[in-house]
Amino acid sequence: MRTNRRGSKRQSTMGLLSSMWDGESACIGVVEDVSATGIRVSQIPSKFDKNSQECFTVVHGPLQDFKVMLHPSWRLETKKEMYQLIGFQVVHPTANWKQFVAATLKTSGV
């Protein structure tokens, strides 16, 4: 049984997209949840570099886009290995990212 060792509250999201860059190629992913220090993104094509140590993303929020550096924490192949679900650690989260996450948690009642 896996234990949840996350230190930050996570909030599921609906309809947020993430434009990702691994240093070699770009793709679009679906943001599944966010926290002040992490993000989970699904529907990332399997061609996305599994060995990248850091990547760059723009999370397209409802009122503002957020530019974030990410470090992959874990990966899961999905849909016959066509896509990946990846959990990322946010590298040096900015104040506006933390405010966005706090506002998201507040509006959800968490």
Side-chain angles (χ1 to χ4, degrees), residues 18-95:
S18 175
S19 301
M20 316 240 352
W21 172 255
D22 64 8
E24 297 290 324
S25 62
C27 67
I28 300 288
V30 177
V31 178
E32 300 237 335
D33 67 32
V34 296
S35 76
T37 59
I39 184 171
R40 181 174 56 158
V41 184
S42 67
Q43 301 298 311
I44 299 173
S46 60
K47 68 178 181 165
F48 191 79
D49 186 6
K50 294 172 180 53
N51 299 314
S52 65
Q53 292 301 307
E54 284 190 344
C55 61
F56 176 78
T57 190
V58 176
V59 175
H60 304 286
L63 301 174
Q64 179 181 359
D65 292 342
F66 301 92
K67 298 174 185 173
V68 184
M69 288 297 295
L70 303 171
H71 173 74
S73 296
W74 55 266
R75 297 172 190 273
L76 177 66
E77 296 285 335
T78 60
K79 297 200 182 186
K80 299 183 182 179
E81 299 181 2
M82 290 177 56
Y83 296 100
Q84 302 176 66
L85 173 66
I86 304 177
F88 294 97
Q89 177 183 9
V90 175
V91 178
H92 307 298
T94 61

